[in-house]
Amino acid sequence: MKQNIGILTGGGDCPGLNPAIKAATKKALESGFNVIGIREGWQGLMDKSLAPLDLNLDNVRHIDRAGGTILGTSRTNPFKVNNGSDIICETLDRLRVHALVAIGGEDTLGVAHKLYEQRKVNVVAIPKTIDRDLSYTDYSLGFESALQVITDSVDSLRSTAESHARIFVVEVMGRHAGHLALRGGISSAASVILIPEYAFDINRVCEILLARKDRGLRYSIVMVAEGAMPQGLDMTIISQETDSFGHVRLGGIGHFLASAIEDRTKLESRAVILSHLQRGGKPVAYDRRLGFYFGTAAIEAIIAQNFGSMVAIKNGHIHCAPLSEAIKELRLVNIEQCYDVIDYRAKNRVLIS
Ligand code: F6P
């Protein structure tokens, strides 16, 4: 009898998940496995009403062009539920799942690691997160697609910013990591980039904007990460309520900053919160390609019985890392290790305290 491989997607969705699901399904079928899609992340292994989906060549054929995940996702932490890991193991037994491909970020992979360590579940992970904050891998699915949304959005803002001679503060996601704001800011040539790793000085932001105005520039774009903080203040949060992994909802810095800039400079300022648009749309070419590589590599890892691992790309090579390494610490921005740091500093575009 053929063995079953389960695939699930957990945490925030992003473009790139479907290409990974398709590639893993194709490789698994070619290698003689059955493939079942677990719905709604870890929730699908805890809630009997969520019947799994049989994955076959017909129902994955066209999915690589679409964003999101055909399996659905949720922010479910089984270790926060009474007997949660027992329920997961019972379901895996009932569904005769030999090995599980868990596609997710820090939280989903943390659960995968615990299930492997504590319950000996045969798990292989695929990294995805637009935040790009997982260690060990140089890339996590979704990041480039999100950057494209940011870049296209700023392109669209420029004409109205210029017509009205306004400052636009563009707030982007990333939680505690500034990769999206930094690279999104560089890709879209923002005048000022503010990231959580370096608390910023509002007065300095205003000086830069006024200097631009004095040079005859009619408008400016300020890119700010949702987790960025002005010196001496806390991160701004939308809600104190935490999800099952203990995260509060960040956000609000965009509006705060736009009004602080307007107060201090008297330049008309507006905030644009890109929010979940950054996780929407279809995957850019890189996310499709990496999705294919990661999906295929995950099944190769299962065949090699390399469980408790995460597929990764490092220096251009696809390989596997122990999950423990991948989730050990959040990967944050260190400006000193970035390309062209002298240019950033000289222009004071990325404000470093
Ligand atoms: O972790 C990815 C992420 O997109 C963060 O950048 C953001 O803070 C968070 O998810 C938003 O989560 P939700 O979709 O639950 O609002």
Side-chain angles (χ1 to χ4, degrees):
M1 195 189 280
K2 287 185 177 182
Q3 287 179 316
N4 288 340
I5 288 183
I7 304 179
L8 65 80
T9 50
D13 74 331
C14 64
L17 297 172
N18 284 329
I21 295 167
K22 175 176 173 177
T25 301
K26 279 185 74 177
K27 179 73 183 172
L29 294 173
E30 275 164 29
S31 310
F33 295 99
N34 285 325
V35 189
I36 56 176
I38 311 294
R39 294 181 196 268
E40 318 294 347
W42 298 114
Q43 187 64 30
L45 291 174
M46 303 184 64
D47 177 348
K48 277 195 180 142
S49 69
L50 294 170
L53 176 71
D54 278 323
L55 295 176
N56 55 54
L57 289 182
D58 286 332
N59 60 16
V60 300
R61 184 161 292 123
H62 302 297
I63 66 172
D64 48 341
R65 293 139 227 185
T69 163
I70 59 158
L71 299 177
T73 185
S74 66
R75 296 195 187 276
T76 306
N77 184 353
F79 288 92
K80 279 282 161 70
V81 175
N82 254 347
N83 305 321
S85 67
D86 292 335
I87 301 171
I88 296 242
C89 291
E90 280 158 28
T91 312
L92 290 172
D93 281 349
R94 179 169 52 80
L95 299 175
R96 295 185 305 100
V97 172
H98 159 65
L100 192 61
V101 177
I103 312 178
E106 177 205 358
D107 299 331
T108 306
L109 271 45
V111 171
H113 180 242
K114 275 193 187 165
L115 287 172
Y116 169 72
E117 286 280 317
Q118 298 177 12
R119 308 303 306 257
K120 306 289 169 243
V121 174
N122 292 339
V123 65
V124 171
I126 294 180
K128 75 83 219 175
T129 163
I130 67 164
D131 301 345
R132 195 176 172 267
D133 56 1
L134 283 167
S135 289
Y136 203 87
T137 184
D138 291 341
Y139 192 71
S140 304
L141 296 177
F143 183 67
E144 286 291 333
S145 298
L147 278 188
Q148 196 61 51
V149 172
I150 294 171
T151 309
D152 292 345
S153 304
V154 173
D155 281 353
S156 299
L157 269 180
R158 287 185 186 281
S159 54
T160 179
E162 179 146 39
S163 306
H164 288 264
R166 283 175 174 157
I167 307 295
F168 271 92
V169 177
V170 179
E171 180 186 303
V172 300
M173 284 184 168
R175 244 201 280 262
H176 302 289
H179 302 285
L180 265 184
L182 177 64
R183 301 216 178 172
I186 292 167
S187 306
S188 58
S191 316
V192 177
I193 301 172
L194 306 169
I195 58 178
E197 290 82 349
Y198 303 92
F200 63 88
D201 175 359
I202 297 185
N203 294 326
R204 180 73 194 119
V205 175
C206 294
E207 270 169 35
I208 294 173
L209 298 174
L210 287 170
R212 282 177 55 81
K213 169 125 176 87
D214 288 347
R215 278 167 33 222
L217 300 168
R218 281 177 63 80
Y219 73 96
S220 295
I221 305 288
V222 176
M223 178 91 25
V224 64
E226 63 181 356
M229 303 165 279
Q231 285 167 8
L233 292 176
D234 285 337
M235 278 178 184
T236 52
I237 54 176
I238 288 176
S239 154
Q240 293 282 357
E241 262 174 52
T242 53
D243 66 18
S244 71
F245 291 92
H247 304 297
V248 290
R249 270 183 71 199
L250 294 176
I253 184 71
H255 286 293
F256 168 84
L257 194 57
S259 107
I261 289 170
E262 190 165 292
D263 278 356
R264 287 169 164 78
T265 62
K266 309 299 170 218
L267 300 173
E268 199 179 9
S269 306
R270 295 282 191 275
V272 170
I273 316 301
L274 292 184
S275 187
H276 294 79
L277 284 174
Q278 293 161 94
R279 300 212 312 242
K282 58 184 188 177
V284 297
Y286 193 66
D287 276 320
R288 297 185 198 199
R289 209 159 76 248
L290 264 284
F292 289 139
Y293 296 158
F294 282 169
T296 307
I299 303 303
E300 284 170 352
I302 288 174
I303 294 168
Q305 308 213 347
N306 192 356
F307 300 121
S309 64
M310 178 187 82
V311 299
I313 182 163
K314 207 140 184 75
N315 303 324
H317 295 287
I318 305 286
H319 61 123
C320 271
L323 254 175
S324 52
E325 285 296 311
I327 58 166
K328 199 159 64 185
E329 57 186 8
L330 277 189
R331 180 160 65 145
L332 300 177
V333 173
N334 177 352
I335 280 291
E336 300 305 331
Q337 291 169 357
C338 291
Y339 177 66
D340 220 1
V341 61
I342 295 176
D343 182 53
Y344 303 156
R345 275 191 184 286
K347 290 187 182 156
N348 273 331
R349 199 140 71 98
V350 185
L351 285 199
I352 311 174
S353 41

